[in-house]
Amino acid sequence: MALIDYANPSKFLSFADRVLPWLIGCAALALAFGINQVYGAPDDYQQGATVKIMFVHVPAAWLAMFGWGVMSIAALGTLVWRHPLADVAGKAAAPVGAAFTLTCLVTGSLWGRPMWGTYWVWDARLTSVFILFLMYLGVIALWRTIDEPSRAARAAAILTLAGAVNLPIIKFSVDWWNTLHQPASVLRLGGPTIHPDLLAPLLIMAFALALLFFALHLAVMRNEILRRRVRTMHLLQAQAAPGS
Amino acid sequence: MNLASHADFIVAAYGAAAAILGVLILWVMFDYRALRRTLAEFEDEGVTRRSDHTARSPL
Amino acid sequence: MKALAALFMRDVRIAMRAGGGASVAVLFFLIVVTLTPFAVGPDLPLLKRIGPAMLWIGALLASLLALDRLLAADRDDGSLDLLGMTAMPLELAVAVKGLAHWLTTGLPLAIAAPLFALFLNVDGSAGFAVALTLLAGTPALTFFGLIGAALTVTLRRGGLLLSVLVLPLTIPVLIFGVAASNAAIAGPLDFGTPFTILCALSLISFVIGPFAAAMALRHGQE
């Protein structure tokens, strides 16, 4: 089935109604399995049991960036192809992505307390994620400020793309700034050399949280389509009202 | 370093993650119910969208 | 080309005129600098250490607040709609407007910086180093800000939202601006490295800013 078929909101709604229960079920099962795996995972020789926080922290960071990627693709859909569903997808990805970004920040902060002795250090990675969070809030604020949905969609799309272009620059700057101020990090948060016993639960948790991300995204998209219907109804009612 | 010494932070981290995502899930659910209810009310009042007119002619 | 030059001259003239507000940005900059000793205490060594950073924060906020004016006046009198209808590409028109805005806001900030630096115990060549980094960095602030100004131009009270949208994008400029200033004053670091990157950021903003802003204006007018 072609993507263009889902430009019809009714078709997309029935698709969402069919897929969502399965997606939620799979996400719940995968999460249960993942948490079970995390429970049985061995401690890290350096970080001890606190490494367990990584299994939710790192996937949340991945999905935080993934969320902006989804928004960028949706933004292209809005600006280039004018696909109506792209507007909805872009708007729906913002709160979901922001929630995962916040999860990453809070778990990172709680991991930092026993490791660094403080809840917040201006570590390069944490700082970049924090700026990403601020940018998510900016996009959400822009969505909420402009009433007309399609105009808001285009404005948010441009902001999203400008952000996508700037994110690598910001990441590079923050890394550079960080090495200037903190010559050597005491702790590397989830580097590439990770023990296989820890890698398996990490990937399972990443998979489970990604399923949760998709389920939430789809559910928020469905809500958004319904919200637009309600808006249309209100407008029709206002037009039909006597004396207008 | 064992689980006991930092168990509170690990539990807090998972609790915080569950709380943040839980709030999002609850918001989505309540939002969905409220929207469905509003749409149903509109339907009861007889307000329909143009695309629905073929299904239930108002006249 | 002639039309662009006319637009440039018009914008500069409007900004220089009484009520144009070009001088208000410098005044705001001065007040931020004045507030610093009240916040951290009149401790001269401390002021010397944080001086370049405070100058950059002041210049950043001043140029940000001025952005509100960049397109809003043209929206109010309708000349923004006219710009969209003329034969010249909107990207170029917006770029010229940004350039005129920088000339009347960013450049005065950079020129005032060595003088204001004296209040923060940053004197002599150090003050000029800060001014040089501001000269290289403020175009990036203006042109990244152009995107936010274009996005919020149709909103009645877009000023606060504009700052929220633009500030994250200006973080790299702030990082390299302050780093270059510090490198010139005290740093073990080579002045050239951060300064070159700062110039690169300004050049990138020249490209991204007008294109994104023109796109935002076109989509906003539909």
Side-chain angles (χ1 to χ4, degrees):
Chain A
M1 219 177 318
L3 192 63
I4 194 75
D5 288 345
Y6 291 111
N8 182 340
S10 303
K11 271 197 184 143
F12 181 80
L13 275 184
S14 70
F15 165 78
D17 286 341
R18 246 182 305 127
V19 169
L20 253 179
W22 291 97
L23 207 52
I24 293 170
C26 289
L29 276 179
L31 262 180
F33 182 63
I35 287 172
N36 184 42
Q37 287 290 301
V38 166
Y39 196 74
D43 290 356
D44 187 68
Y45 73 97
Q46 226 183 349
Q47 299 164 36
T50 55
V51 76
K52 287 200 187 338
I53 296 176
M54 177 186 75
F55 300 123
V56 62
H57 172 76
V58 171
W62 287 342
L63 288 167
M65 289 182 279
F66 180 73
W68 200 277
V70 170
M71 273 167 52
S72 306
I73 294 169
L76 284 179
T78 297
L79 294 176
V80 180
W81 298 292
R82 302 269 168 121
H83 198 287
L85 200 59
D87 299 6
V88 176
K91 183 174 184 185
V96 181
F100 276 95
T101 316
L102 185 63
T103 305
C104 174
L105 286 173
V106 172
T107 53
S109 170
L110 284 166
W111 193 4
R113 184 73 183 85
M115 285 296 108
W116 291 318
T118 169
Y119 283 108
W120 186 263
V121 291
W122 291 93
D123 165 76
R125 286 164 192 247
L126 275 178
T127 309
S128 303
V129 173
F130 187 49
I131 297 169
L132 181 65
F133 182 60
L134 293 180
M135 288 171 63
Y136 269 119
L137 294 186
V139 170
I140 294 172
L142 188 61
W143 269 110
R144 294 173 62 98
T145 320
I146 306 179
D147 291 330
E148 221 275 295
S150 66
R151 228 170 45 123
R154 288 193 294 263
I158 292 166
L159 182 66
T160 306
L161 288 181
V165 172
N166 271 287
L167 273 173
I169 302 177
I170 293 174
K171 178 88 178 77
F172 162 74
S173 316
V174 170
D175 283 347
W176 188 88
W177 163 82
N178 191 249
T179 48
L180 191 69
H181 291 274
Q182 290 172 330
S185 183
V186 195
L187 172 76
R188 46 166 188 79
L189 293 177
T193 53
I194 183 168
H195 196 273
D197 286 351
L198 296 177
L199 186 62
L202 177 64
L203 290 181
I204 293 166
M205 278 301 278
F207 178 70
L209 286 173
L211 282 179
L212 182 64
F213 182 99
F214 288 128
L216 280 168
H217 188 211
L218 200 58
V220 180
M221 277 176 79
R222 184 171 69 174
N223 283 358
E224 184 54 31
I225 290 173
L226 293 180
R227 200 186 323 280
R228 288 187 182 194
R229 286 203 172 166
V230 169
R231 192 184 128 85
T232 317
M233 299 282 212
H234 272 300
L235 290 178
L236 284 174
Q237 200 180 33
Q239 276 171 8
S244 63
Chain B
M1 230 185 284
N2 55 13
L3 184 70
S5 63
H6 294 306
D8 39 355
F9 286 107
I10 298 167
V11 171
Y14 278 85
I20 293 165
L21 297 176
V23 165
L24 184 65
I25 291 167
L26 285 180
W27 169 67
V28 170
M29 275 168 52
F30 284 117
D31 199 26
Y32 180 70
R33 292 220 183 117
L35 287 166
R36 277 285 183 211
R37 204 178 312 124
T38 319
L39 279 174
E41 277 165 18
F42 272 121
E43 210 149 292
D44 292 342
E45 287 170 30
V47 185
T48 45
R49 297 179 310 137
R50 236 167 309 151
S51 51
D52 294 340
H53 279 192
T54 44
R56 18 184 295 148
S57 164
L59 293 174
Chain C
M1 206 58 228
K2 220 170 150 189
L4 289 176
L7 179 66
F8 181 76
M9 288 314 293
R10 165 185 173 271
D11 271 27
V12 170
R13 224 175 278 138
I14 288 177
M16 301 291 267
R17 217 169 43 195
S23 49
V24 182
V26 179
L27 191 60
F28 179 82
F29 185 27
L30 177 62
I31 287 176
V32 171
V33 168
T34 316
L35 286 179
T36 311
F38 291 119
V40 303
D43 177 11
L44 286 183
L46 177 66
L47 282 178
K48 196 184 186 70
R49 201 164 63 80
I50 66 169
M54 289 319 299
L55 286 168
W56 256 94
I57 294 269
L60 177 67
L61 293 179
S63 66
L64 202 71
L65 286 177
L67 280 173
D68 207 12
R69 228 181 47 235
L70 176 50
L71 297 169
D74 285 359
R75 173 206 60 202
D76 291 341
D77 65 11
S79 48
L80 198 62
D81 297 326
L82 288 178
L83 273 184
M85 281 184 255
T86 53
M88 66 180 151
L90 192 56
E91 283 83 0
L92 269 181
V94 170
V96 162
K97 283 190 73 66
L99 209 61
H101 185 262
W102 174 77
L103 199 73
T104 52
T105 320
L107 189 61
L109 292 178
I111 293 171
L115 180 65
F116 295 175
L118 296 178
F119 297 117
L120 297 176
N121 197 22
V122 178
D123 49 6
S125 60
F128 284 104
V130 176
L132 189 62
T133 59
L134 280 176
L135 194 65
T138 42
L141 300 181
T142 302
F143 280 91
F144 279 131
L146 204 54
I147 306 174
L151 284 175
T152 54
V153 69
T154 49
L155 305 174
R156 276 294 143 204
R157 276 187 212 133
L160 207 54
L161 182 65
L162 167 65
S163 311
V164 170
L165 299 185
V166 168
L167 271 178
L169 303 183
T170 59
I171 288 172
V173 184
L174 184 66
I175 289 176
F176 287 106
V178 174
S181 316
N182 281 333
I185 296 165
L189 205 74
D190 190 25
F191 173 72
T193 315
F195 189 73
T196 321
I197 298 174
L198 189 64
C199 295
L201 284 174
S202 279
L203 291 177
I204 292 171
S205 75
F206 271 132
V207 180
I208 300 176
F211 272 98
M215 207 200 290
L217 286 177
R218 266 197 215 103
H219 285 298
Q221 280 168 359
E222 273 172 26

